[in-house]
Amino acid sequence: MALVLNEDEVMMRDMAQGFFAEKAPIKALRTLRDTQDETGFDRGLWSEMAAQGFAGIVVPEEHGGVDMGYLAAGLVAEQMGRNLTASPFFSTAILAATALRHGSAEQQGEWLPKIASGDAVIALALDEGVKHNPRGTSTTAEPSGNGFKLNGAKAMVVDGHVADVMIVAARTSGEDGDADGISLFLVDPKAKGISTERTIMVDSHNAARIDLDDVEVSGDALLGTLDEGMNVLDAVLSAGRGIAAAELLGAGAQAFEDTVAYIKERKQFGAIIGEFQALQHRSSHMYSELEIARSAVVGALTALDAGDEKASQYCAMAKAKLGSVAKLVSQEGVQMHGGVGMTDEYDIGLFMKRIRVLQELMGDAHYHMNEFANSHSY
Amino acid sequence: MSDLDTFRADTRTWLEANCPAEMRTPLKGDQDFCWGGRNFVFQSDAQKQWLDVMVAKGWTVPTWPTEFGGGGLSRKEEAVIHQEMHRINARIPLFSFGISMLGPALLKFGTDAQKAEHLPKIARGEIHWCQGYSEPGAGSDLASLKTKAEDKGDHYIVNGQKVWTSYADKADWIFCLVRTDNTGKKHHGISFVLFDMTTEGVEVRPIKLISGRSPFCETFFSDVKVLKSNLVGEEHKGWSIAKYLLTHEREMIGGSNEVGRPLHEIAAASLGLQDGKLSDPMLRAKIAEAEIDEWAFNLTVKRKLAEAKAGASLGADSSMLKYYGTELNKRKFELMMDASGHDGLEWESERSNDGKVARSWLRTKGNSIEGGTSEVQLNIISKHILQLPGA
Ligand SMILES: Cc1cc2nc3c(=O)[nH]c(=O)nc-3n(C[C@H](O)[C@H](O)[C@H](O)COP(=O)(O)OP(=O)(O)OC[C@H]3O[C@@H](n4cnc5c(N)ncnc54)[C@H](O)[C@@H]3O)c2cc1C
C-alpha cells in the first residue's frame, strides 16, 4: 500500500489547496452565516468546483466524471476542512455518487452526469433520532400499488433542504436492529407528504430534518436490490466515513497550525508563551497524534480505492481516530489561545464547532470503537 | 436535635413557604439569571418576589454580618441553606460578582465607610459590579497591567483599557486594578479602585463569543475621575487584594458545575435504554467516571471549606479546586454533547431551546480560562503547594 502521495495526487492536493484558499476561505463561511444565506453554500462556488472536477471526483468518466478515487477525494476534503468550506461535496459528490454507482443504468445515466456537472444536489436521508445507527432504521416503505409508501422521520440530512433528489433509507422487511431488510429509494423532495425543516447547526453547515408521511414512490425509485440496501449503504458509509475523516484531518491540522502560530507570537511574563514547556509538550503530543491520524486517513482511503475487503473497517477506524484527535486539537487550541479563543473573531472556535459536528456525522468515536470490538467478537 | 438540624428544619419550612413555585424550575437561558443592578428588568413577579424575601432574610449573603445586609450565619449554616435550596431546585436569587468577589475583599480590606456604602447594596442586588482586571497585554500575567491612575490630590485620573470585562455593558460599578506607580517591580504599584461605570470617559464595547452571545466587553477609560475615597486598601499595594479576591473567584468558578439534571438521566432520556443500559458502553463508562469524580470533587470542596477557618480563604487550594472543577465541568459538557447527539448540534431551533446545549457547551470552554487559566492554576500548585524548584 502506497502511503506517500504520487505525482498526480500531489498535483491534486496543490490544486485543491490553492482553489479553496482563494475561493472559499473561512471568511466565506462567516458571510454565509452572518447573512443567513438560504442555500447555506455558494452555488457559484459549487459550479467552479464542478469545473475543477471535484464534483465528479468519484463519478466514472463515461458519466462525465474524472473518477480519480477516494484518496484524491480525501485530498479535496482535507482542504475543505482547512477552510471550513461549505459545499455539497460531501452529500453529493461522495455519498450520492457512491450510492448511484450501484443504481440501475437509467438511474446512473440520469443522475451521475448531473452530479459531475454540479447541476444536482443530492442528499442521503439515513439517520433518525439522536445518534447514527443505520441498522436502527425504522422509517418504513410498504408496497403500495406498483410502488411503495414511505413513512418516518429523518434527522441530520446533510443538504436536505436544498436537495434536488433524496436517497432515503427505509425498512422493507425485518426489524429494528437488522442489517437486512433495508432498502434505498430515490425520492423527490417535493413529493406529497414530505416536510423539510432546515436545522441551523452549531457549525453553520447544512442539515435538515425530513418527515415522510405516506410518501408514494414508484417501483423504479428503488436504488439497488430490495431488502439489500445495506450492501449499497456499506459502500456509501465507508466513503462517507473516510472522507469525513479526511475533512477532520484538514480541520484538525489547520486548528493545530493556527494554535502553534499563536503561541509563537503571544507574550506573557516577558516570554513568548510557546517557551512554556507546559504548552510545548502538549503541542508536540498533538503533532504526534495528527501524524498518526494522517496515516489512518491515507490508509483507509487507499484501501477503499484498492477494493480491499477490509476497507470499510479501515474507514470506520479512521473515522474513530480522527473524531478523537480533531476534538483534542480543537479543544486544546481554544485553551491555548486564552481569552481570544472564546471570541467569534478568532477562527479557532469555528474549528471546534465544525469538528464537533463532523465527529458526530456517520458515527462518533464511541460508535466505531464499539463496532470494531463487536466485529472482533470481544 | 442539634442546632444545625433545627436550623435545617426551619430553613426547609421557610423555603417551602417563601420560594415561589416558578423559581423552582430550571433556568432556561441567560434571561432567567437575576443579576440585579440599576437597570435590571425582572422577568417575572416571582423573580422579584424571590429576591425580595431572600434579601429581607439576609440570605443572598448568609455569612455576611447583618449590619451589611447579611444573615450573620456560619459557613455550615450557609451550606445547609444551599442544600435545602438545591433540594427543591430553588434558583439562586441573585448572581453577582459583588457577592462572590468584591464583597469578601471589602470585608477584609475595606474601610468602614466603604463597607457601609457598598456591601448592603450588593446584598440587596441594587448595584451590579463588574471586574476590571485583564488587559490585552495582561492576562495570565495580570501583574503587568498598564491602565494608569495619575495622582491628582484628592482623586485619580484613570486612562487605559481593560478586556474580557464580563457584563461591563450591564454593570453599574467596576472594581478595577490600576497602576499608580511603575518605577518598581510589577507587583508593586498596583492599586485597587472602585468607580461608577457612568463616570465620564468610560466606554464599553461588547465582544461576540463563540457561543454567539456577547456577555463580555472591551472597556476603555479616558481621563476617568476616581475619588481617592474609592481606593481600597493602601495605594500601590492592591496586588494582595487582587489576589485575595481571585481566590474567591476561583472557589466560585470551580464550585459552579451544573449541567442541570445528573448526566446519566440526561443521557438515558436522550438515547434511551436497552436492557436497562445505555447502548453506548463507552459513554456509559465515561458518565459513570464523571459522576464519581463529581461526587468526590463536591466532597473536596466541602472538606476544604470545613478545614479553612470561618471566613478565611482557601489560599492556593482554591487553585486546585478551580482547576479540577472547571476541567470536570468541561468534561461533563462534552459528555452531554455526546449524549445529545444530533439534537445537541442544533443552534437556533425552538426544539433545541435556541441551541441551549451547544451554547452552554461552548461557554464551558471559558471556565478553564476565566479567573486564571488551568495552566496558571497548575503553576500555582507547583509553586505554592508543592514548592517545586524553579516553579
Ligand atoms: C468567559 C470569560 C470571562 C472573563 N471575565 C473576565 C472579567 O470579568 N474580568 C476580567 O478582568 N477578566 C475576565 N476574563 C479574562 C481572563 O481572566 C483571562 O482571559 C485569563 O486570565 C487568560 O488571559 P489571556 O486571555 O490573556 O490569555 P494568555 O495569558 O495570553 O494565555 C494564553 C495561553 O497561554 C497559557 N499560559 C500563559 N502563561 C503561562 C505559563 N506561565 N505557563 C504555562 N502556560 C501559560 C495560558 O494558560 C493560555 O493557555 C474572562 C475570560 C473569559 C474566557
Side-chain angles (χ1 to χ4, degrees):
Chain A
M1 178 167 52
L3 287 170
V4 180
L5 300 184
N6 67 27
E7 238 173 86
D8 285 352
E9 289 154 358
V10 168
M11 260 178 59
M12 185 59 159
R13 184 197 61 196
D14 292 348
M15 182 175 90
Q17 196 170 13
F19 179 87
F20 289 107
E22 190 202 326
K23 310 267 182 187
I26 297 178
K27 222 172 53 230
L29 178 72
R30 288 180 181 276
T31 305
L32 290 169
R33 179 191 70 174
D34 297 341
T35 58
Q36 299 176 321
D37 187 275
E38 302 234 324
T39 307
F41 63 87
D42 176 352
R43 289 195 187 270
L45 173 77
W46 183 230
S47 299
E48 287 191 61
M49 286 175 68
Q52 296 289 326
F54 299 156
I57 199 153
V58 300
V59 172
E61 287 174 17
E62 56 178 298
H63 292 297
V66 294
D67 204 10
M68 284 188 67
Y70 292 103
L71 181 62
L75 297 172
V76 174
E78 186 182 339
Q79 295 307 321
M80 293 178 58
R82 282 184 176 274
N83 293 286
L84 301 175
T85 304
S87 89
F89 182 77
F90 185 72
S91 64
T92 303
I94 301 302
L95 304 180
T98 303
L100 279 155
R101 289 185 73 151
H102 295 79
S104 65
E106 293 81 60
Q107 288 167 340
Q108 296 200 25
E110 179 173 8
W111 293 109
L112 287 173
K114 286 188 191 157
I115 291 176
S117 63
D119 289 322
V121 170
I122 308 181
L124 174 70
L126 169 63
D127 282 322
E128 304 169 359
V130 294
K131 295 299 263 192
H132 178 62
N133 180 16
R135 288 189 300 273
T137 296
S138 64
T139 293
T140 54
E142 288 163 1
S144 165
N146 61 358
F148 298 88
K149 194 164 69 186
L150 276 61
N151 278 289
K154 297 290 183 180
M156 200 73 181
V157 182
V158 176
D159 294 324
H161 78 297
V162 282
D164 299 298
V165 65
M166 290 192 296
I167 300 169
V168 178
R171 192 162 281 292
T172 36
S173 69
E175 280 173 25
D176 189 357
D178 291 350
D180 291 340
I182 294 170
S183 307
L184 300 178
F185 299 91
L186 285 163
V187 180
D188 177 355
K190 291 185 215 71
K192 203 168 148 256
I194 294 189
S195 48
T196 303
E197 178 200 353
R198 179 186 185 186
T199 45
I200 305 283
M201 306 300 267
V202 62
D203 65 342
S204 310
H205 281 58
N206 280 346
R209 289 177 184 264
I210 312 277
D211 283 342
L212 303 129
D213 182 16
D214 283 340
V215 177
E216 302 271 0
V217 297
S218 64
D220 55 15
L222 182 69
L223 175 66
T225 312
L226 189 72
D227 290 341
E228 289 173 22
M230 199 46 108
N231 293 339
V232 179
L233 267 182
D234 259 343
V236 173
L237 288 172
S238 299
R241 288 164 183 160
I243 296 302
E247 192 175 339
L248 279 164
L249 176 64
Q254 190 63 50
F256 176 66
E257 286 166 26
D258 283 5
T259 302
V260 171
Y262 186 75
I263 69 170
K264 282 181 179 168
E265 291 220 330
R266 171 74 173 162
K267 283 199 186 123
Q268 285 289 274
F269 301 101
I272 290 170
I273 60 175
E275 290 179 48
F276 301 126
Q277 209 163 57
L279 305 190
Q280 290 177 347
H281 281 190
R282 277 150 61 200
S283 303
S284 303
H285 172 70
M286 287 189 272
Y287 166 81
S288 311
E289 286 285 9
L290 280 165
E291 287 298 312
I292 305 294
R294 178 174 298 281
S295 306
V297 170
V298 174
L301 294 177
T302 308
L304 201 57
D305 284 335
D308 189 319
E309 58 177 18
K310 283 190 149 175
S312 119
Q313 187 162 75
Y314 292 148
C315 286
M317 288 158 72
K319 180 67 179 32
K321 183 64 188 165
L322 268 293
S324 303
V325 171
K327 227 158 84 168
L328 168 80
V329 169
S330 62
Q331 288 169 20
E332 284 281 53
V334 169
Q335 177 67 20
M336 290 192 190
H337 273 76
V340 297
M342 289 298 289
T343 64
D344 186 63
E345 187 187 338
Y346 277 67
D347 293 335
I348 189 70
L350 294 181
F351 280 109
M352 187 166 72
K353 295 175 183 181
R354 178 67 184 142
I355 285 168
R356 184 78 225 183
V357 173
L358 274 173
Q359 65 87 38
E360 187 73 50
L361 198 62
M362 304 213 143
D364 62 10
H366 289 171
Y367 175 86
H368 291 299
M369 288 193 281
N370 197 35
E371 291 283 294
F372 180 87
N374 286 340
S375 73
H376 288 80
S377 317
Y378 69 87
Chain B
M1 261 208 308
S2 75
D3 287 353
L4 210 56
D5 289 337
T6 314
F7 181 74
R8 184 181 298 278
D10 292 348
T11 301
R12 189 170 293 189
T13 314
W14 186 86
L15 285 172
E16 271 311 337
N18 287 283
C19 182
E22 219 181 291
M23 293 295 107
R24 304 183 195 192
T25 55
L27 295 157
K28 276 199 223 63
D30 295 350
Q31 74 282 358
D32 286 342
F33 284 78
C34 172
W35 286 94
R38 289 175 192 145
N39 304 318
F40 185 74
V41 182
F42 287 96
Q43 287 296 304
S44 64
D45 292 344
Q47 191 184 41
K48 178 164 189 323
Q49 188 197 336
W50 178 221
L51 178 62
D52 286 345
V53 294
M54 287 294 273
V55 164
K57 209 67 184 150
W59 282 7
T60 52
V61 283
T63 62
W64 290 12
T66 48
E67 57 177 314
F68 301 133
L73 299 175
S74 68
R75 275 199 171 183
K76 283 196 176 128
E77 288 165 324
E78 177 183 47
V80 167
I81 295 175
H82 289 161
Q83 286 155 13
E84 291 302 315
M85 281 171 64
H86 193 72
R87 202 184 65 86
I88 60 166
N89 297 317
R91 292 185 188 175
I92 294 171
L94 179 62
F95 289 84
S96 153
F97 295 163
I99 293 175
S100 54
M101 299 190 217
L102 179 62
L106 277 183
L107 281 167
K108 191 170 162 85
F109 299 98
T111 62
D112 289 344
Q114 286 167 341
K115 290 184 201 171
E117 168 66 18
H118 297 297
L119 292 175
K121 290 182 188 167
I122 292 174
R124 295 195 297 261
E126 288 168 10
I127 292 294
H128 183 178
W129 286 86
C130 65
Q131 176 188 34
Y133 273 36
S134 308
E135 298 178 6
S140 296
D141 183 14
L142 180 59
S144 68
L145 62 96
K146 289 204 175 72
T147 294
K148 197 167 123 196
E150 249 180 297
D151 192 332
K152 296 284 183 186
D154 67 340
H155 68 274
Y156 298 106
I157 292 295
V158 176
N159 279 287
Q161 188 202 335
K162 297 289 173 183
V163 72
W164 322 129
T165 328
S166 298
Y167 306 104
D169 54 341
K170 303 209 167 54
D172 305 309
W173 276 65
I174 186 168
F175 50 93
C176 193
L177 297 179
V178 295
R179 187 157 292 287
T180 40
D181 182 11
N182 55 14
T183 55
K185 286 201 170 154
K186 65 181 179 184
H187 296 105
H188 172 81
I190 292 171
S191 299
F192 191 107
V193 296
L194 314 173
F195 53 93
D196 193 315
M197 290 293 279
T198 59
T199 316
E200 210 181 310
V202 178
E203 195 196 326
V204 296
R205 285 185 212 149
I207 303 170
K208 192 168 162 199
L209 278 176
I210 55 177
S211 64
R213 314 270 188 236
S214 303
F216 65 20
C217 304
E218 293 179 286
T219 309
F220 301 89
F221 309 124
S222 51
D223 291 337
V224 176
K225 184 175 169 186
V226 179
L227 291 178
K228 281 201 178 158
S229 54
N230 286 326
L231 169 73
V232 181
E234 274 182 71
E235 189 179 58
H236 308 328
K237 296 200 174 144
W239 182 246
S240 52
I241 306 174
K243 276 201 307 186
Y244 179 80
L245 183 146
L246 275 176
T247 61
H248 283 273
E249 177 178 9
R250 286 164 187 168
E251 280 173 37
M252 185 255 314
I253 299 173
S256 53
N257 53 346
E258 287 295 321
V259 288
R261 283 183 297 164
L263 258 183
H264 68 264
E265 279 181 23
I266 295 175
S270 173
L271 302 178
L273 299 178
Q274 280 170 14
D275 305 326
K277 293 177 180 154
L278 288 181
S279 56
D280 176 345
M282 233 86 55
L283 182 62
R284 185 168 181 257
K286 285 184 188 169
I287 289 176
E289 188 179 39
E291 291 191 333
I292 291 167
D293 286 349
E294 184 180 19
W295 167 72
F297 173 75
N298 288 338
L299 284 178
T300 311
V301 174
K302 268 194 212 154
R303 181 167 67 83
K304 290 290 173 183
L305 286 176
E307 281 169 11
K309 284 197 220 72
S313 91
L314 298 180
D317 259 341
S318 67
S319 289
M320 180 272 290
L321 296 179
K322 201 268 174 183
Y323 164 69
Y324 204 93
T326 56
E327 294 295 337
L328 174 60
N329 201 39
K330 287 198 299 183
R331 180 147 55 98
K332 280 166 50 185
F333 274 83
E334 283 292 332
L335 294 173
M336 183 152 97
M337 286 297 282
D338 288 342
S340 306
H342 305 140
D343 290 358
L345 301 170
E346 287 190 20
W347 192 239
E348 283 182 358
S349 58
E350 214 175 287
R351 179 189 317 103
S352 68
N353 195 358
D354 207 18
K356 183 171 184 237
V357 172
R359 290 178 201 268
S360 49
W361 160 68
L362 289 163
R363 176 61 185 82
T364 62
K365 300 303 176 193
N367 295 159
S368 53
I369 298 170
E370 62 199 314
T373 64
S374 281
E375 290 78 2
V376 163
Q377 308 312 323
L378 294 173
N379 284 344
I380 292 172
I381 296 170
S382 299
K383 181 170 178 165
H384 294 288
I385 299 181
L386 306 180
Q387 304 193 333
L388 291 171

